[in-house]
Amino acid sequence: MTDFNHKHEKVLSGLGFLQDAASRSSQLTSGMVNILTSFEERLARLEKTILPVYHETKNLQQKQENIDKTLASLDHVIGYYSVSKEVEPVIKESPSSQGLDVFLHSLGRLQEAMHFFEKNNPQSVELENVMSLFETGKDNIISEFKEHLAKHSHIVPPITVLEALATDEEEINVNNFSADIKDNLMRIADWLITHNEDDFMNVYARFRANTVQKTLLGLRDHLRSSSVGAVSHQGVSPIAPMSGTSTLLAKSGVKSSYDTPSRKTSKKLQQMLERKANQMLLKASQTLESSTGLALGSRRSAADIIKEDAVEEQEIESFFTEFTALLRLLQSELRLMLGIIPLPHQKAVLSIILRDALEMICHDAESLSARARRSVARLEFGPVLLLFPALRHLVCLKGDCDKLLEGCDSSVRTRFYAMVNNLHTTCGKALEDFAESVRSESAAPLPRDGTVYEMTSNVVLFLGQLTDLSDTVGPLLAQDQSYSNALVHTQPWPKPQRNRALLGLYIKKVLVQLNLTLVTKSDAYSDSSLRYIFRLNNSHYLLGALQRSGLLDLLKVVEPECESIYREMINEQKRLYSQSWNKVLAPIWNSEDVPASVLLSGRLREKDKALIKEKFSTLNKEFEELSREQRGYSVPDVELRESLKRDNKEYILPKYQAFYDKYSNAQFSKHSEKYIKYSPAQISSVIDTFFDVAA
């Protein structure tokens, strides 16, 4: 009970505390409401007092702004009347003296004044002054454009051009303009275009055309002074003309003889280019001697050929280099004019830039073609071979040229394609003239010893230069309907294989003409054995040369059995040559003979003794005459020479051995050694001396 009372009292005490707190809270709330009400009333009275002042102030500010705008407009209009005087010192100086930004800003102010006076006071003197000063400023900015071009359009040094070409760079660095100069040119050009002044593009074209042409002329002078080789992807070897009166020097790839001690790259380039040039140079001068053993004798050395043909070679090499350089320079010019020349006008400007330089290149090509045609007319086909790599060079670059010339002036494109067509025509006609010259060859005399005919080696050397040029020669031959018709009747040919097939047809045609000429010429030999040695030498040399040069592979494209045909020819000529032994073997084959029974009995009649003496005497006489003749024959190929000796032994020794064994022990004479001069071993030794004039 006591606990309950205690808790009850505690609850009552808490309830009383809460009631007191609620009473105090009510009093506080009532006081706050009274304060807020009083504050609201005071704010309302303040608003009624301040709001009229605020509106009045706003009106005053608006009036002030209107006054300021009016004053600014008046100042602006008044400024148009003073702009001429203010910018005149800037406009009458060059843009570079004051800075291009300041100059262009001044021109902008003049233009604004012009528009103002044209609209508001077109008859005013101020308009005339502004217009006159504006024209002066325009002339000065055009002069500034010209001055930048003149000062910063530098000729590219020949060494730089050659190094760029040697590394197959797509462009030659012609960026003579620094970033600041390029920016100025772009801004000036943009300003001129905005103001409908487009003559600056002609100015730009003339300056850059002059730079490109002088770069090429400098390159040409460098090539001539230092005998630098040209840039090319293919070349030709030396080849003696059909008339035998001169020999052509032609080089493949790039040769360089310049060397700048301060430029390590130049020296490295020189060594690389010279190695490449020497590869094909040595090929033709050594092919005949190294592969067949044929002594070249009176043939001129490579040094003599270089000295004799230096001018012509240099022109070809310069053509290679200059044309490639022109293409790369123009590609660089397109990049250089970006931002300066508007895109729609770039190809028109490029046409002007390249016109004079292209004309120079075309003139060189026409001169080379004319010289080659004159050489062909003299049956000297060496010079025209130089044109084939030149033509191939143009064909290889045709895609780049087409892309570059697209959109250019039609006269420029026509001039370029006329140059290419001229080379096409010259090379195509030279091929047919060469084939005809083989058919009608009559200048070179027959070799007395039956060695390889000069024309044969010349034909192989000429054709050998075409093996890597099927993509160039094929289209030339395709223009002759007879070649195309010949392919139509065989099989469909994809383009690369078609070009090889066309070249194969040409090689076949020339070789057929050559074989007919060799047969016809060999008929002039009174000695039938020498006639067959001559044919054998030439046929064997031809087969070997065709195999070594790769011509046989081209020939097999259209004549798969060509190798077996040549081998059959060689075997037939060997067989015909073996008939030279018939006179030697005649006594052995003679049907009149001493019976074996008589020889065994040892009782030879006088008639029998005389017959044996006659057989040995005749055989000795014919063998000695044959030996003397055949020691004077020439078989330069070691393999063929030894083969013929071996065939001779296999053909004669068994027959002579049997004859010798039959009669050598017969008592047909007291002086049998007078008749039995040669044992089989001695016959073999004498045969070993054949085809050796010193034996």
Side-chain angles (χ1 to χ4, degrees):
M1 189 64 180
T2 304
D3 290 338
F4 174 78
N5 292 334
H6 178 71
K7 289 180 180 179
H8 179 69
E9 289 176 358
K10 188 175 182 179
V11 170
L12 290 177
S13 176
L15 179 60
F17 177 76
L18 289 176
Q19 287 175 345
D20 290 341
S23 177
R24 288 195 300 273
S25 176
S26 177
Q27 292 175 359
L28 290 173
T29 300
S30 177
M32 181 60 67
V33 169
N34 292 334
I35 292 171
L36 290 175
T37 300
S38 175
F39 184 71
E40 183 178 6
E41 291 174 353
R42 291 180 181 182
L43 283 178
R45 288 194 299 271
L46 180 62
E47 182 178 3
K48 291 179 181 180
T49 303
I50 295 301
L51 190 58
V53 176
Y54 171 76
H55 287 305
E56 183 65 22
T57 302
K58 183 177 180 181
N59 291 335
L60 290 174
Q61 289 177 343
Q62 184 67 45
K63 292 177 182 180
Q64 182 63 44
E65 289 177 2
N66 292 338
I67 292 171
D68 291 341
K69 289 181 179 179
T70 301
L71 291 174
S73 297
L74 288 172
D75 290 339
H76 184 67
V77 171
I78 293 171
Y80 288 135
Y81 286 88
S82 61
V83 69
S84 297
K85 183 178 180 180
E86 293 174 1
V87 303
E88 184 176 5
V90 175
I91 295 300
K92 289 191 174 181
E93 295 290 336
S94 66
S96 57
S97 62
Q98 300 291 333
L100 185 60
D101 288 336
V102 175
F103 195 88
L104 292 178
H105 177 70
S106 298
L107 284 175
R109 291 183 62 190
L110 287 173
Q111 188 173 24
E112 289 180 6
M114 284 172 55
H115 292 162
F116 173 79
F117 289 121
E118 286 173 351
K119 180 178 180 181
N120 298 285
N121 193 5
Q123 305 299 324
S124 65
V125 176
E126 286 78 7
L127 177 59
E128 295 180 3
N129 294 336
V130 170
M131 291 180 64
S132 174
L133 197 57
F134 183 81
E135 290 298 321
T136 301
K138 183 171 65 177
D139 292 341
N140 285 345
I141 202 169
I142 292 175
S143 297
E144 181 77 2
F145 187 81
K146 293 179 181 179
E147 184 178 341
H148 278 324
L149 289 174
K151 186 176 181 180
H152 300 283
S153 291
H154 302 305
I155 298 171
V156 183
I159 299 297
T160 302
V161 174
L162 291 171
E163 289 177 348
L165 298 182
T167 55
D168 291 331
E169 294 181 9
E170 292 186 0
E171 297 179 1
I172 298 173
N173 184 15
V174 298
N175 191 5
N176 311 126
F177 307 144
S178 65
D180 291 341
I181 297 301
K182 180 70 177 289
D183 182 66
N184 285 348
L185 289 172
M186 292 170 61
R187 292 170 64 192
I188 292 173
D190 183 64
W191 188 91
L192 292 171
I193 292 170
T194 303
H195 294 82
N196 299 319
E197 295 291 336
D198 57 6
D199 189 58
F200 79 94
M201 290 185 278
N202 292 324
V203 172
Y204 180 91
R206 288 194 296 270
F207 273 101
R208 296 309 303 172
N210 184 59
T211 301
V212 169
Q213 188 172 20
K214 286 185 177 180
T215 296
L216 289 181
L217 288 173
L219 177 62
R220 173 178 293 184
D221 291 341
H222 180 80
L223 294 174
R224 289 179 177 176
S225 63
S226 58
S227 300
V228 177
V231 173
S232 70
H233 300 285
Q234 296 291 335
V236 294
S237 300
I239 178 74
M242 296 302 298
S243 63
T245 59
S246 64
T247 305
L248 165 72
L249 171 68
K251 290 173 286 185
S252 170
V254 184
K255 179 186 175 189
S256 173
S257 61
Y258 66 83
D259 188 11
T260 304
S262 63
R263 298 179 67 96
K264 294 183 179 179
T265 54
S266 299
K267 185 173 182 180
K268 182 179 179 182
L269 173 65
Q270 173 194 354
Q271 296 170 349
M272 177 188 72
L273 302 183
E274 288 179 344
R275 285 197 302 269
K276 191 173 181 181
N278 289 333
Q279 292 175 357
M280 295 301 286
L281 170 63
L282 296 177
K283 177 183 175 183
S285 60
Q286 296 179 351
T287 295
L288 189 58
E289 185 170 14
S290 63
S291 63
T292 67
L294 176 65
L296 296 179
S298 62
R299 284 180 178 267
R300 291 165 293 171
S301 67
D304 293 335
I305 300 172
I306 292 174
K307 182 177 180 180
E308 178 178 322
D309 293 334
V311 174
E312 292 185 2
E313 290 169 33
Q314 184 184 8
E315 290 175 352
I316 288 289
E317 294 164 354
S318 294
F319 175 77
F320 283 158
T321 309
E322 291 168 25
F323 181 80
T324 308
L326 176 60
L327 179 61
R328 301 298 180 236
L329 285 169
L330 293 176
Q331 290 169 335
S332 298
E333 288 295 331
L334 274 177
R335 178 176 52 82
L336 186 63
M337 68 175 67
L338 291 175
I340 301 175
I341 305 300
L343 185 61
H345 300 281
Q346 288 183 1
K347 286 305 179 75
V349 170
L350 188 68
S351 298
I352 300 174
I353 293 175
L354 71 88
R355 182 174 285 114
D356 290 342
L358 180 62
E359 183 61 32
M360 184 176 70
I361 298 292
C362 290
H363 181 270
D364 289 346
E366 290 167 355
S367 175
L368 293 170
S369 293
R371 180 172 299 175
R373 288 194 296 269
R374 291 194 296 270
S375 298
V376 169
R378 298 191 303 269
L379 298 182
E380 296 177 0
F381 294 90
V384 78
L385 276 176
L386 290 170
L387 293 188
F388 282 95
L391 181 59
R392 181 178 189 177
H393 192 67
L394 291 178
V395 171
C396 289
L397 294 176
K398 187 175 182 299
D400 291 339
C401 292
D402 290 341
K403 182 179 179 180
L404 187 68
L405 295 176
E406 183 180 0
C408 287
D409 187 78
S410 60
S411 63
V412 172
R413 297 197 306 272
T414 300
R415 190 74 178 96
F416 168 73
Y417 293 122
M419 175 187 68
V420 177
N421 291 336
N422 185 27
L423 290 174
H424 265 280
T425 302
T426 301
C427 292
K429 187 175 186 302
L431 290 174
E432 292 309 307
D433 288 347
F434 180 79
E436 177 61 23
S437 71
V438 174
R439 186 185 69 81
S440 58
E441 167 64 21
S442 60
L446 284 172
R448 294 181 179 180
D449 56 3
T451 189
V452 176
Y453 195 31
E454 180 184 12
M455 180 182 68
T456 303
S457 61
N458 289 342
V459 166
V460 171
L461 291 174
F462 181 92
L463 294 177
Q465 314 317 311
L466 306 180
T467 54
D468 295 327
L469 297 171
S470 60
D471 55 344
T472 303
V473 176
L476 295 177
L477 297 173
Q479 296 175 1
D480 187 335
Q481 196 62 38
S482 62
Y483 289 98
S484 298
N485 291 341
L487 290 185
V488 169
H489 299 299
T490 53
Q491 64 182 34
W493 299 90
K495 187 174 181 179
Q497 193 70 0
R498 175 181 171 81
N499 287 333
R500 287 174 56 83
L502 288 166
L503 181 54
L505 285 174
Y506 177 76
I507 294 171
K508 177 181 178 181
K509 176 180 179 178
V510 173
L511 292 179
V512 169
Q513 298 284 16
L514 175 61
N515 289 332
L516 292 174
T517 299
L518 290 173
V519 171
T520 302
K521 297 283 286 187
S522 66
D523 289 338
Y525 285 114
S526 58
D527 183 350
S528 61
S529 299
L530 185 57
R531 180 186 310 139
Y532 298 126
I533 284 291
F534 173 78
R535 294 178 183 176
L536 187 56
N537 273 328
N538 282 276
S539 297
H540 188 272
Y541 170 76
L542 271 175
L543 179 58
L546 292 175
Q547 291 171 330
R548 288 189 300 273
S549 64
L551 289 169
L552 191 64
D553 293 334
L554 286 168
L555 190 56
K556 284 182 176 180
V557 175
V558 294
E559 188 62 63
E561 303 300 323
C562 58
E563 185 173 0
S564 62
I565 292 173
Y566 266 102
R567 295 196 183 280
E568 290 173 4
M569 288 172 55
I570 291 171
N571 291 334
E572 176 62 14
Q573 287 155 0
K574 283 184 176 181
R575 185 189 68 79
L576 293 172
Y577 159 74
S578 69
Q579 295 177 0
S580 62
W581 287 96
N582 288 352
K583 290 182 179 181
V584 177
L585 295 175
I588 299 177
W589 288 339
N590 195 322
S591 59
E592 188 176 356
D593 206 349
V594 178
S597 58
V598 174
L599 290 173
L600 290 174
S601 68
R603 299 175 181 177
L604 297 176
R605 298 168 296 179
E606 291 300 322
K607 176 182 177 182
D608 296 331
K609 293 179 180 180
L611 178 61
I612 295 174
K613 291 178 182 179
E614 178 65 22
K615 284 180 177 290
F616 274 106
S617 296
T618 302
L619 188 148
N620 292 337
K621 177 184 176 183
E622 295 296 338
F623 179 67
E624 289 169 356
E625 177 65 21
L626 179 69
S627 300
R628 182 186 62 80
E629 291 176 349
Q630 301 219 9
R631 277 195 293 268
Y633 295 169
S634 174
V635 181
D637 184 81
V638 176
E639 180 182 350
L640 177 61
R641 183 166 63 243
E642 296 305 315
S643 171
L644 287 176
K645 291 178 182 180
R646 184 171 58 253
D647 291 347
N648 285 337
K649 292 177 182 179
E650 292 175 355
Y651 183 65
I652 189 67
L653 288 180
K655 299 175 179 62
Y656 183 75
Q657 183 73 52
F659 176 79
Y660 181 85
D661 292 343
K662 183 175 181 180
Y663 292 112
S664 61
N665 295 321
Q667 301 300 316
F668 62 91
S669 173
K670 294 181 179 180
H671 305 285
S672 59
E673 70 278 0
K674 177 181 177 181
Y675 298 97
I676 307 175
K677 290 185 176 181
Y678 302 100
S679 66
Q682 289 173 318
I683 292 289
S684 176
S685 297
V686 172
I687 291 176
D688 285 334
T689 67
F690 281 15
F691 319 121
D692 186 357
V693 70

